[in-house]
Amino acid sequence: MTKIDSKIPQGTIDKKWSDYKSHVKLVNPANKRAIDIIVVGSGLAGASAAASLAEMGYSVKVFCFQDSPRRAHSIAAQGGINAAKNYKNDGDSVFRLFYDTIKGGDYRAREANVHRLAEVSANIIDQCVAQGVPFARDYGGLLDNRSFGGTQVQRTFYAAGQTGQQLLLGAYSALSKEIAKGSIQMYNRHEMMDVVVINGKARGIIARNLVNGKIERFSGHAVLLCTGGYGNVFFLSTNAMGSNASAAWKAYKRGAFFGNPCYTQIHPTCIPVSGDHQSKLTLMSESLRNDGRIWVPKKKEDAIAIQQGKKTGNDIPEEDRDYYLERRYPAFGNLVPRDVASRAAKERCDAGFGVNATGQAVFLDFAYNLKYKYGKTEATKKGIHSPSEQQLYDLGKEVVKEKYGNLFDMYMQITGENPYEIPMKIYPAVHYTMGGLWVDYNLMTTVPGLYALGEANFSDHGANRLGASALMQGLADGYFVIPYTIGDYLADEIRTGKIPTNTPEFDEAEKIVKERIHFFVTNEGSKSVDHFHKRLGKIMWDKCGMARNEKGLKEAIEEIKQIRLEFWKEVKVPGSDTEFNPELDKATRVADFLELAELMCTDALHRNESCGGHFREEYQTEEGEAKRDDEHFAYVAAWEFKGNEIQPQLHKEQLVFENIKLVQRSYK
């Protein structure tokens, strides 16, 4: 039976990573040329890992289902990237970033991994500046920082409201350089359909050419999954439509444990749902909470009038506004962590104070900072005495536009409302998944030679990710962690030689893939893939979303089983398997979501506590906050696949806290 071994190095927390690097096995340059590495996914984690490994001398193959690596979903992370550089001289440090991340994750993350992340964070910024990433700078030309939720320091580096895009272009340039050199073979429009395991080791993948449908075999000495999260299991989420869980799920069914699948992050700052026509939701960056104040009316009659279209937010006088985050959490105010802000918004809306037609929205208002924080500052700079209200607004708008202009434009295009003049409406939505494939300190799964990086693994964020930490983890894993840790495994692979693809294991994996695809294009069903995906998403949002309880989770498990039975009988996929067929691609992914969803609910049901994004209604404090049970649940839940329709086996990695004291989270 596979046992969990996290392989955390000995020594004090501040020395583990440096000592590890000094003693890890190495692969000499001549041997690296004979080693093939497969990287699946070309977002920040995948592109940075592939570029780094290729530059080190390995032979690398990279796969993405998009037409270009530049379309990876990493571009959607708008707000910024954290790093402990203390440029603002406000008390930041590696330890404080480590502490904030552990606390933000509600004490459900592995200390050693998180401290390593904090250590390498500063290097990431230097790397990206050297690549030409246009981070925002202050008046003197130095790199600027802004605040994000869950912290009391300014450590977030940013490029207006398009940080993810700029960072991805930096990683893409490094990737492109290695492609041009011939050290990387790039396979666009290829989707991984299965992992091939030979003698217990990951030895390659089966991929499908999405343009012509051809099934292809690729071998390697190691396989890196950098394929993102599984938020699209909810149908409506902030994820790109193509984002899926299939690569990770195939790895799970080949022996890789799945860690903490129930830990889903609900982002508090999204454009609210407007109707059944929507296929996704749009994220408004958390960075907006720096300068926007969140509120709802104090009087229910005002909220009802707004819901009915009789009033707008501007009609509510200041004294009748409830800045509920500032009221409930005075120390952090609007910058509480995402899970706390999301539940607070839900509570106000459930109480009847929502501010759109559905009652499922709150205001994010920039009026105060437009006029008084920035307007007055700019007026003073320009020597304008006794500025009018309009002058203050115009001056403040210039500053806000420079910091958030593309986000405001996007909001205006989607909603038809001008957020400079009318308060934005926001509501929580599914965004990020903290759960993922279980990995050890080396980022290796329980299948030797199979690694998971970035959002595809579970390792750094516990039960709730702090804002601006996704980009940090993706680039840390790719640029500064995997280049060291993978050598520890590959040092013993140099005598293996080229991995052949004409083996029974490749034959069997390809056969399974072809049979599944053949089923979808020949099944005489009557319902679309989206029909089933929408039903699944509603169940997951209602019963395994922002709040969960035992009754709802048990119902969800049975309902998901029923949908899955119907799916395999009634799904209809038009077109053929020898052409570009997005419906076929979607069908294979939704089939995996229908299995993953059950595991998510099973995990949520077994964890009889509330922590971070996992909020069990039975376990909460008198103030309605998450109530942990550290005595019984201070562990990573790692699930092992035992067979279709068989209960998976739970393995527990006990979390040991030697450097941070376990306390009830408080942001008051």
Side-chain angles (χ1 to χ4, degrees), residues 4 33 60 142 251 277 283 296 341 346 348 356 361 376 387 407 417 438 498 504 536 547 617 642:
I4 286 183
R33 292 193 291 269
V60 181
L142 301 176
H277 64 283
L283 172 69
V296 293
K346 181 179 187 295
R348 286 291 79 196
N356 67 351
K376 283 190 174 182
L407 300 175
E417 295 181 349
W438 183 92
K498 193 78 174 175
L536 173 67
E617 293 175 336
K642 304 300 288 186

PDB file of all heavy atoms in Angstrom, residues 4 33 60 142 251 277 283 296 341 346 348 356 361 376 387 407 417 438 498 504 536 547 617 642:
ATOM      1  N   ILE A   4       2.139   7.781   2.737  1.00  0.00           N
ATOM      2  CA  ILE A   4       2.503   9.189   2.582  1.00  0.00           C
ATOM      3  C   ILE A   4       3.854   9.448   3.235  1.00  0.00           C
ATOM      4  O   ILE A   4       4.076   9.102   4.391  1.00  0.00           O
ATOM      5  CB  ILE A   4       1.422  10.095   3.213  1.00  0.00           C
ATOM      6  CG1 ILE A   4       0.187  10.131   2.326  1.00  0.00           C
ATOM      7  CG2 ILE A   4       1.956  11.496   3.428  1.00  0.00           C
ATOM      8  CD1 ILE A   4      -0.893  11.043   2.834  1.00  0.00           C
ATOM      9  N   ARG A  33      21.161  16.026 -21.225  1.00  0.00           N
ATOM     10  CA  ARG A  33      20.732  16.014 -22.631  1.00  0.00           C
ATOM     11  C   ARG A  33      20.017  14.721 -23.005  1.00  0.00           C
ATOM     12  O   ARG A  33      19.260  14.692 -23.970  1.00  0.00           O
ATOM     13  CB  ARG A  33      21.951  16.223 -23.539  1.00  0.00           C
ATOM     14  CG  ARG A  33      22.567  17.605 -23.454  1.00  0.00           C
ATOM     15  CD  ARG A  33      23.543  17.852 -24.593  1.00  0.00           C
ATOM     16  NE  ARG A  33      24.747  17.035 -24.467  1.00  0.00           N
ATOM     17  CZ  ARG A  33      25.846  17.427 -23.824  1.00  0.00           C
ATOM     18  NH1 ARG A  33      25.877  18.626 -23.230  1.00  0.00           N
ATOM     19  NH2 ARG A  33      26.904  16.654 -23.760  1.00  0.00           N
ATOM     20  N   VAL A  60      12.933  18.925 -23.324  1.00  0.00           N
ATOM     21  CA  VAL A  60      11.597  19.184 -22.768  1.00  0.00           C
ATOM     22  C   VAL A  60      10.535  19.196 -23.866  1.00  0.00           C
ATOM     23  O   VAL A  60      10.757  19.755 -24.945  1.00  0.00           O
ATOM     24  CB  VAL A  60      11.572  20.534 -22.009  1.00  0.00           C
ATOM     25  CG1 VAL A  60      10.197  20.794 -21.411  1.00  0.00           C
ATOM     26  CG2 VAL A  60      12.646  20.551 -20.924  1.00  0.00           C
ATOM     27  N   LEU A 142      10.927  53.706  -8.371  1.00  0.00           N
ATOM     28  CA  LEU A 142      11.096  52.432  -7.676  1.00  0.00           C
ATOM     29  C   LEU A 142       9.836  51.584  -7.822  1.00  0.00           C
ATOM     30  O   LEU A 142       8.734  52.111  -7.995  1.00  0.00           O
ATOM     31  CB  LEU A 142      11.396  52.671  -6.197  1.00  0.00           C
ATOM     32  CG  LEU A 142      12.655  53.494  -5.892  1.00  0.00           C
ATOM     33  CD1 LEU A 142      12.787  53.730  -4.393  1.00  0.00           C
ATOM     34  CD2 LEU A 142      13.897  52.797  -6.445  1.00  0.00           C
ATOM     35  N   ALA A 251      -4.361  11.435 -13.456  1.00  0.00           N
ATOM     36  CA  ALA A 251      -3.244  11.086 -12.578  1.00  0.00           C
ATOM     37  C   ALA A 251      -3.755  10.417 -11.308  1.00  0.00           C
ATOM     38  O   ALA A 251      -3.173   9.432 -10.823  1.00  0.00           O
ATOM     39  CB  ALA A 251      -2.439  12.335 -12.243  1.00  0.00           C
ATOM     40  N   HIS A 277     -28.338  32.668 -19.036  1.00  0.00           N
ATOM     41  CA  HIS A 277     -27.606  32.673 -20.303  1.00  0.00           C
ATOM     42  C   HIS A 277     -26.098  32.597 -20.106  1.00  0.00           C
ATOM     43  O   HIS A 277     -25.364  32.298 -21.055  1.00  0.00           O
ATOM     44  CB  HIS A 277     -27.920  33.960 -21.071  1.00  0.00           C
ATOM     45  CG  HIS A 277     -27.454  35.198 -20.352  1.00  0.00           C
ATOM     46  ND1 HIS A 277     -28.142  35.726 -19.269  1.00  0.00           N
ATOM     47  CD2 HIS A 277     -26.359  35.985 -20.523  1.00  0.00           C
ATOM     48  CE1 HIS A 277     -27.485  36.792 -18.828  1.00  0.00           C
ATOM     49  NE2 HIS A 277     -26.401  36.973 -19.570  1.00  0.00           N
ATOM     50  N   LEU A 283     -14.209  38.042 -12.984  1.00  0.00           N
ATOM     51  CA  LEU A 283     -13.550  38.478 -11.761  1.00  0.00           C
ATOM     52  C   LEU A 283     -13.205  39.955 -11.827  1.00  0.00           C
ATOM     53  O   LEU A 283     -12.675  40.432 -12.827  1.00  0.00           O
ATOM     54  CB  LEU A 283     -12.270  37.658 -11.572  1.00  0.00           C
ATOM     55  CG  LEU A 283     -11.328  38.074 -10.440  1.00  0.00           C
ATOM     56  CD1 LEU A 283     -11.961  37.793  -9.100  1.00  0.00           C
ATOM     57  CD2 LEU A 283     -10.006  37.332 -10.571  1.00  0.00           C
ATOM     58  N   VAL A 296     -23.644  47.880   2.125  1.00  0.00           N
ATOM     59  CA  VAL A 296     -25.045  47.680   1.751  1.00  0.00           C
ATOM     60  C   VAL A 296     -25.863  48.697   2.542  1.00  0.00           C
ATOM     61  O   VAL A 296     -25.359  49.284   3.509  1.00  0.00           O
ATOM     62  CB  VAL A 296     -25.532  46.248   2.086  1.00  0.00           C
ATOM     63  CG1 VAL A 296     -24.827  45.206   1.222  1.00  0.00           C
ATOM     64  CG2 VAL A 296     -25.368  45.938   3.570  1.00  0.00           C
ATOM     65  N   ALA A 341     -14.519  37.671   3.657  1.00  0.00           N
ATOM     66  CA  ALA A 341     -15.289  38.680   2.930  1.00  0.00           C
ATOM     67  C   ALA A 341     -16.459  38.050   2.175  1.00  0.00           C
ATOM     68  O   ALA A 341     -17.553  38.625   2.097  1.00  0.00           O
ATOM     69  CB  ALA A 341     -14.380  39.425   1.952  1.00  0.00           C
ATOM     70  N   LYS A 346     -22.427  37.147   1.713  1.00  0.00           N
ATOM     71  CA  LYS A 346     -23.557  36.207   1.657  1.00  0.00           C
ATOM     72  C   LYS A 346     -24.517  36.438   2.818  1.00  0.00           C
ATOM     73  O   LYS A 346     -25.746  36.437   2.643  1.00  0.00           O
ATOM     74  CB  LYS A 346     -23.047  34.764   1.685  1.00  0.00           C
ATOM     75  CG  LYS A 346     -24.141  33.696   1.602  1.00  0.00           C
ATOM     76  CD  LYS A 346     -23.535  32.296   1.609  1.00  0.00           C
ATOM     77  CE  LYS A 346     -24.600  31.234   1.361  1.00  0.00           C
ATOM     78  NZ  LYS A 346     -25.609  31.172   2.443  1.00  0.00           N
ATOM     79  N   ARG A 348     -25.114  39.217   4.518  1.00  0.00           N
ATOM     80  CA  ARG A 348     -25.891  40.435   4.327  1.00  0.00           C
ATOM     81  C   ARG A 348     -26.983  40.236   3.257  1.00  0.00           C
ATOM     82  O   ARG A 348     -28.111  40.708   3.411  1.00  0.00           O
ATOM     83  CB  ARG A 348     -24.978  41.594   3.920  1.00  0.00           C
ATOM     84  CG  ARG A 348     -24.105  42.167   5.027  1.00  0.00           C
ATOM     85  CD  ARG A 348     -24.915  42.927   6.095  1.00  0.00           C
ATOM     86  NE  ARG A 348     -25.565  42.024   7.044  1.00  0.00           N
ATOM     87  CZ  ARG A 348     -26.543  42.378   7.847  1.00  0.00           C
ATOM     88  NH1 ARG A 348     -27.007  43.625   7.820  1.00  0.00           N
ATOM     89  NH2 ARG A 348     -27.085  41.514   8.684  1.00  0.00           N
ATOM     90  N   ASN A 356     -29.033  44.268  -5.992  1.00  0.00           N
ATOM     91  CA  ASN A 356     -29.416  44.168  -7.408  1.00  0.00           C
ATOM     92  C   ASN A 356     -30.761  43.471  -7.498  1.00  0.00           C
ATOM     93  O   ASN A 356     -31.380  43.138  -6.472  1.00  0.00           O
ATOM     94  CB  ASN A 356     -28.345  43.451  -8.236  1.00  0.00           C
ATOM     95  CG  ASN A 356     -28.205  41.978  -7.877  1.00  0.00           C
ATOM     96  OD1 ASN A 356     -28.789  41.509  -6.896  1.00  0.00           O
ATOM     97  ND2 ASN A 356     -27.428  41.256  -8.657  1.00  0.00           N
ATOM     98  N   ALA A 361     -26.026  40.807  -4.400  1.00  0.00           N
ATOM     99  CA  ALA A 361     -24.929  41.718  -4.728  1.00  0.00           C
ATOM    100  C   ALA A 361     -24.747  42.712  -3.590  1.00  0.00           C
ATOM    101  O   ALA A 361     -25.685  43.007  -2.835  1.00  0.00           O
ATOM    102  CB  ALA A 361     -25.210  42.463  -6.035  1.00  0.00           C
ATOM    103  N   LYS A 376      -7.709  64.932  -3.426  1.00  0.00           N
ATOM    104  CA  LYS A 376      -7.067  65.954  -2.597  1.00  0.00           C
ATOM    105  C   LYS A 376      -5.545  65.885  -2.716  1.00  0.00           C
ATOM    106  O   LYS A 376      -4.862  66.918  -2.743  1.00  0.00           O
ATOM    107  CB  LYS A 376      -7.502  65.794  -1.136  1.00  0.00           C
ATOM    108  CG  LYS A 376      -8.906  66.333  -0.859  1.00  0.00           C
ATOM    109  CD  LYS A 376      -9.184  66.367   0.628  1.00  0.00           C
ATOM    110  CE  LYS A 376     -10.533  67.040   0.912  1.00  0.00           C
ATOM    111  NZ  LYS A 376     -10.817  67.122   2.360  1.00  0.00           N
ATOM    112  N   PRO A 387     -10.210  73.166  -4.205  1.00  0.00           N
ATOM    113  CA  PRO A 387     -10.769  72.555  -5.421  1.00  0.00           C
ATOM    114  C   PRO A 387     -12.252  72.261  -5.257  1.00  0.00           C
ATOM    115  O   PRO A 387     -12.730  71.979  -4.147  1.00  0.00           O
ATOM    116  CB  PRO A 387      -9.957  71.265  -5.567  1.00  0.00           C
ATOM    117  CG  PRO A 387      -9.528  70.940  -4.166  1.00  0.00           C
ATOM    118  CD  PRO A 387      -9.280  72.262  -3.506  1.00  0.00           C
ATOM    119  N   LEU A 407      -9.728  47.329 -15.510  1.00  0.00           N
ATOM    120  CA  LEU A 407     -10.785  46.654 -14.757  1.00  0.00           C
ATOM    121  C   LEU A 407     -12.084  47.451 -14.809  1.00  0.00           C
ATOM    122  O   LEU A 407     -13.170  46.888 -14.973  1.00  0.00           O
ATOM    123  CB  LEU A 407     -10.346  46.467 -13.297  1.00  0.00           C
ATOM    124  CG  LEU A 407      -9.077  45.637 -13.077  1.00  0.00           C
ATOM    125  CD1 LEU A 407      -8.689  45.648 -11.607  1.00  0.00           C
ATOM    126  CD2 LEU A 407      -9.280  44.208 -13.565  1.00  0.00           C
ATOM    127  N   GLU A 417     -22.729  49.983 -16.796  1.00  0.00           N
ATOM    128  CA  GLU A 417     -22.710  51.029 -15.778  1.00  0.00           C
ATOM    129  C   GLU A 417     -21.293  51.581 -15.618  1.00  0.00           C
ATOM    130  O   GLU A 417     -20.318  50.830 -15.735  1.00  0.00           O
ATOM    131  CB  GLU A 417     -23.209  50.488 -14.433  1.00  0.00           C
ATOM    132  CG  GLU A 417     -24.677  50.063 -14.463  1.00  0.00           C
ATOM    133  CD  GLU A 417     -25.150  49.564 -13.105  1.00  0.00           C
ATOM    134  OE1 GLU A 417     -24.295  49.345 -12.215  1.00  0.00           O
ATOM    135  OE2 GLU A 417     -26.370  49.382 -12.925  1.00  0.00           O
ATOM    136  N   TRP A 438      -1.866  15.564  -4.271  1.00  0.00           N
ATOM    137  CA  TRP A 438      -0.970  15.587  -3.114  1.00  0.00           C
ATOM    138  C   TRP A 438       0.465  15.479  -3.614  1.00  0.00           C
ATOM    139  O   TRP A 438       0.785  14.661  -4.490  1.00  0.00           O
ATOM    140  CB  TRP A 438      -1.281  14.425  -2.180  1.00  0.00           C
ATOM    141  CG  TRP A 438      -0.442  14.434  -0.933  1.00  0.00           C
ATOM    142  CD1 TRP A 438      -0.750  15.013   0.254  1.00  0.00           C
ATOM    143  CD2 TRP A 438       0.869  13.859  -0.767  1.00  0.00           C
ATOM    144  NE1 TRP A 438       0.281  14.839   1.159  1.00  0.00           N
ATOM    145  CE2 TRP A 438       1.288  14.132   0.551  1.00  0.00           C
ATOM    146  CE3 TRP A 438       1.722  13.153  -1.607  1.00  0.00           C
ATOM    147  CZ2 TRP A 438       2.520  13.717   1.046  1.00  0.00           C
ATOM    148  CZ3 TRP A 438       2.958  12.736  -1.127  1.00  0.00           C
ATOM    149  CH2 TRP A 438       3.344  13.007   0.191  1.00  0.00           C
ATOM    150  N   LYS A 498      16.435   5.920 -23.475  1.00  0.00           N
ATOM    151  CA  LYS A 498      15.204   6.443 -24.064  1.00  0.00           C
ATOM    152  C   LYS A 498      14.017   5.559 -23.677  1.00  0.00           C
ATOM    153  O   LYS A 498      14.111   4.334 -23.727  1.00  0.00           O
ATOM    154  CB  LYS A 498      15.339   6.481 -25.594  1.00  0.00           C
ATOM    155  CG  LYS A 498      14.272   7.271 -26.301  1.00  0.00           C
ATOM    156  CD  LYS A 498      14.538   8.760 -26.209  1.00  0.00           C
ATOM    157  CE  LYS A 498      13.546   9.549 -27.056  1.00  0.00           C
ATOM    158  NZ  LYS A 498      13.726  11.007 -26.890  1.00  0.00           N
ATOM    159  N   PRO A 504       3.238  -2.495 -23.688  1.00  0.00           N
ATOM    160  CA  PRO A 504       1.842  -2.826 -23.329  1.00  0.00           C
ATOM    161  C   PRO A 504       1.146  -1.708 -22.553  1.00  0.00           C
ATOM    162  O   PRO A 504      -0.066  -1.508 -22.700  1.00  0.00           O
ATOM    163  CB  PRO A 504       1.994  -4.092 -22.474  1.00  0.00           C
ATOM    164  CG  PRO A 504       3.282  -4.697 -22.916  1.00  0.00           C
ATOM    165  CD  PRO A 504       4.176  -3.551 -23.260  1.00  0.00           C
ATOM    166  N   LEU A 536     -24.938  19.741 -12.653  1.00  0.00           N
ATOM    167  CA  LEU A 536     -23.886  19.445 -11.681  1.00  0.00           C
ATOM    168  C   LEU A 536     -23.455  20.715 -10.960  1.00  0.00           C
ATOM    169  O   LEU A 536     -23.308  20.727  -9.730  1.00  0.00           O
ATOM    170  CB  LEU A 536     -22.688  18.816 -12.395  1.00  0.00           C
ATOM    171  CG  LEU A 536     -21.440  18.591 -11.533  1.00  0.00           C
ATOM    172  CD1 LEU A 536     -21.706  17.539 -10.467  1.00  0.00           C
ATOM    173  CD2 LEU A 536     -20.246  18.194 -12.397  1.00  0.00           C
ATOM    174  N   ALA A 547     -21.266  27.461   1.681  1.00  0.00           N
ATOM    175  CA  ALA A 547     -21.645  26.828   2.945  1.00  0.00           C
ATOM    176  C   ALA A 547     -22.059  25.391   2.660  1.00  0.00           C
ATOM    177  O   ALA A 547     -22.657  25.102   1.623  1.00  0.00           O
ATOM    178  CB  ALA A 547     -22.785  27.596   3.607  1.00  0.00           C
ATOM    179  N   GLU A 617     -21.817  24.454   8.182  1.00  0.00           N
ATOM    180  CA  GLU A 617     -22.727  25.275   8.984  1.00  0.00           C
ATOM    181  C   GLU A 617     -22.862  24.769  10.411  1.00  0.00           C
ATOM    182  O   GLU A 617     -23.178  25.541  11.325  1.00  0.00           O
ATOM    183  CB  GLU A 617     -24.094  25.313   8.301  1.00  0.00           C
ATOM    184  CG  GLU A 617     -24.074  26.046   6.980  1.00  0.00           C
ATOM    185  CD  GLU A 617     -25.399  25.991   6.236  1.00  0.00           C
ATOM    186  OE1 GLU A 617     -26.187  25.049   6.493  1.00  0.00           O
ATOM    187  OE2 GLU A 617     -25.628  26.876   5.407  1.00  0.00           O
ATOM    188  N   LYS A 642      -9.526   3.715  -5.553  1.00  0.00           N
ATOM    189  CA  LYS A 642      -9.551   2.264  -5.364  1.00  0.00           C
ATOM    190  C   LYS A 642     -10.343   1.547  -6.448  1.00  0.00           C
ATOM    191  O   LYS A 642     -10.425   0.319  -6.451  1.00  0.00           O
ATOM    192  CB  LYS A 642     -10.159   1.923  -3.997  1.00  0.00           C
ATOM    193  CG  LYS A 642      -9.464   2.582  -2.811  1.00  0.00           C
ATOM    194  CD  LYS A 642      -8.006   2.189  -2.700  1.00  0.00           C
ATOM    195  CE  LYS A 642      -7.820   0.764  -2.241  1.00  0.00           C
ATOM    196  NZ  LYS A 642      -6.388   0.447  -1.993  1.00  0.00           N
TER     197      LYS A 642
END
